[in-house]
Amino acid sequence: MPVPQIISLGCRLNIAESEAIRALVGGRDLVVVNSCAVTNGAVAETRKAIRRARAERPSAQLVVTGCAAQIDPASFAAMPEVDRVLGNAEKLTSHAWEASDPVIVGDILRVRDTAPHLAPAFAAHARAFVEVQNGCDHRCTFCVIPYGRGNSRSVPAGAVIERIAGLVDAGHREIVLTGVDLTSYGPDLPGAPSLGLLVERILRHVPALERLRLSSLDGIEIDDRLFALLTQEPRVMPHVHLSLQAGNDLILKRMKRRHSRGESVALVERLKAARAEIAIGADLIAGFPTEDDAMFADTLALIDDCDVVHAHIFPYSERDGTPAARMPAVPVPVRKARAALLRVAGARRKAAWLGGLVGTTQDVLVERPGDRGHSGNFAEIRFDPQAVGTVQKLRIVDTDGRTLRAIPLAAPPAKAGAQSRDVPSDAQHSPTTAVSPGPRPSPGKHQSTGIPA
């Protein structure tokens, strides 16, 4: 029987939606390229993936979908390798997959609901990704994604809880909540629930869920309820990835971000004071238009000031149609050199952090092929083979500055929790009633999932 190949480029949301597509297409001789449009480079990578896929599967039907296809369907339909183009809403409907029209792409800005398409299983992943939000109402000057994803819309809590319960019953021990702008969850739903309220409901109604992880967060939207869950709930993993983008206030203003540098630093200080083991990740852009050396120095210093140990560094890349693409550009070699400096600083910070974890005990989700995984703080850990999908309690014995090395403990693995140095946790109470989080902060590559491993 033919095995459909689904190639996901870009974000975790695409991974989640690719699994939903897998359930819709069944056993067809099919290649689906789920594209990314975040930069011109991402679009070019999509085209390379299309040509590579056609060369590898010349007889399969090749369908392009995702953000790049949504924004510019005609250019992909014109490629000789492509048989069909589907929009971001259409790719998640059975009707589109049963139809024969070469191009089915609607107006994404008219879409008002999301996620009747939540994936029923994640055969190729140890953790499962659940889309709870899609689209974005903000218009950062460097970003074209709202035109690929539409306006912000949320999945009702009941549908999310039902899907997570099913995934847990199927054996998944870690769930990742995903979205384009995750912290904007809820205002479009009756009663305007927040992301924090959704997390509370998930934990209450799916008691068997051991590990809940949140994808990228906008710090300005972390309210008291969500702060309490991040810092006091042991089933919420101690890993906060923030969409920081820059460390200079003028550049942040030109990006049309809603936070200041000082607010980001203050938020991290509050998070770390309330839960010391929280690991901070961040997206940072080097060489944004008009950035001078002093402005860049502010971003470079932010890695230390915000204790960023999971740094995602991007040299600025123009995206046609965005306001930033019309701003005075920083020369490409300067962008690349600054990105390299950020990566060096991030690697240094990470190596020091990993060194501090040697001697600790970590609960680790075992990922394919069985000799690696991630702890609650998202440190990558290597070990002798264990059963994929299990959570193992391991002792960290060494680091090479990039990953950790661990050995099993004699004791059986714990149900859930974060790191420890064999000190029992006292955080057994309800986080939203037992913590006083303080004032709310002010405003602010290619993965193939074709054949299960």
Side-chain angles (χ1 to χ4, degrees):
M1 175 182 291
V3 177
Q5 181 184 11
I6 303 176
I7 300 168
S8 291
L9 297 103
C11 63
R12 289 176 176 177
L13 188 56
N14 258 8
I15 296 175
E17 292 176 343
S18 289
E19 293 302 322
I21 291 170
R22 185 189 309 284
L24 289 170
V25 301
R28 307 184 195 187
D29 189 11
L30 180 72
V31 176
V32 180
V33 178
N34 199 4
S35 65
C36 177
V38 69
T39 63
N40 289 347
V43 176
E45 183 64 26
T46 292
R47 296 186 185 280
K48 290 179 185 177
I50 290 168
R51 296 186 184 104
R52 185 165 52 242
R54 174 54 74 203
E56 294 172 353
R57 303 260 312 252
S59 63
Q61 184 184 48
L62 197 152
V63 181
V64 182
T65 186
C67 289
Q70 176 69 46
I71 292 169
D72 191 8
S75 70
F76 290 98
M79 293 181 69
E81 297 87 354
V82 175
D83 296 308
R84 301 186 69 208
V85 178
L86 300 181
N88 257 337
E90 290 77 16
K91 72 183 180 184
L92 299 164
T93 67
S94 58
H95 168 76
W97 292 105
E98 297 301 330
S100 58
D101 311 57
V103 178
I104 309 179
V105 179
D107 183 353
I108 196 69
L109 293 175
R110 292 180 177 272
V111 176
R112 291 292 179 266
D113 57 5
T114 192
H117 52 270
L118 292 169
F122 284 76
H125 299 272
R127 58 178 55 83
F129 301 87
V130 175
E131 176 184 329
V132 304
Q133 183 275 339
N134 206 331
C136 185
D137 291 338
H138 310 300
R139 298 295 183 263
C140 296
T141 59
F142 55 84
C143 185
V144 75
I145 294 306
Y147 304 101
R149 288 287 180 177
N151 294 313
S152 181
R153 52 204 188 274
S154 310
V155 185
V160 174
I161 290 166
E162 180 180 5
R163 184 60 61 211
I164 290 176
L167 289 166
V168 170
D169 287 345
H172 290 286
R173 301 176 73 172
E174 180 172 309
I175 301 294
V176 183
L177 301 187
T178 68
V180 173
D181 184 24
L182 185 61
T183 35
S184 70
Y185 176 89
D188 55 312
L189 296 175
S194 65
L195 178 62
L197 185 58
L198 174 67
V199 171
E200 281 186 350
R201 290 173 174 173
I202 291 168
L203 296 173
R204 181 168 64 250
H205 292 291
V206 193
L209 172 62
E210 298 181 36
R211 295 160 64 106
L212 182 65
R213 193 180 298 277
L214 307 183
S215 61
S216 183
L217 303 177
D218 190 344
I220 182 58
E221 299 290 350
I222 298 178
D223 60 12
D224 288 353
R225 174 178 265 114
L226 183 57
F227 183 94
L229 289 159
L230 290 169
T231 56
Q232 295 294 315
E233 171 53 61
R235 289 195 286 160
V236 175
M237 295 296 95
H239 168 221
V240 177
H241 191 91
L242 297 171
S243 180
L244 297 181
Q245 307 304 348
N248 175 267
D249 284 342
L250 184 55
I251 291 297
L252 288 168
K253 184 176 181 179
R254 289 171 177 168
M255 288 178 167
K256 211 172 179 180
R257 299 296 294 168
R258 296 178 298 151
H259 65 273
S260 70
R261 184 187 203 281
E263 288 159 352
S264 295
V265 174
L267 172 61
V268 171
E269 288 175 347
R270 291 175 58 232
L271 288 166
K272 300 284 284 185
R275 190 178 185 183
E277 71 267 30
I278 282 179
I280 302 298
D283 298 322
L284 293 169
I285 296 173
F288 186 81
T290 75
E291 181 187 78
D292 62 22
D293 288 344
M295 293 170 177
F296 169 70
D298 286 341
T299 297
L300 184 64
L302 195 67
I303 289 179
D304 286 335
D305 292 345
C306 283
D307 193 19
V308 177
V309 297
H310 299 296
H312 290 190
I313 308 300
F314 308 91
Y316 171 74
S317 177
E318 289 84 357
R319 185 59 175 94
D320 296 340
T322 60
R326 301 190 296 272
M327 296 179 185
V330 173
V332 171
V334 175
R335 301 180 210 175
K336 291 182 177 179
R338 290 176 179 172
L341 290 173
L342 287 173
R343 291 189 183 105
V344 168
R348 171 185 49 77
R349 192 81 189 186
K350 183 173 187 175
W353 171 65
L354 292 175
L357 293 176
V358 174
T360 66
T361 297
Q362 303 285 333
D363 292 337
V364 181
L365 178 69
V366 180
E367 300 164 28
R368 287 178 171 78
D371 62 352
R372 67 200 66 181
H374 286 84
S375 55
N377 55 25
F378 214 61
E380 184 178 355
I381 301 176
R382 301 299 178 102
F383 40 83
D384 291 336
Q386 307 285 332
V388 173
T390 62
V391 176
Q392 299 288 337
K393 187 175 285 293
L394 304 175
R395 184 177 299 280
I396 308 303
V397 295
D398 196 12
T399 179
D400 61 5
R402 298 180 302 276
T403 61
L404 296 169
R405 178 71 186 170
I407 58 175
L409 294 180
K415 288 279 291 181
Q419 66 180 7
S420 71
R421 290 184 184 269
D422 300 326
V423 177
S425 171
D426 59 359
Q428 303 299 320
H429 44 268
S430 171
T432 56
T433 58
V435 70
S436 176
R440 183 174 185 263
S442 301
K445 236 169 126 201
H446 167 131
Q447 291 198 27
S448 174
T449 60
I451 302 176

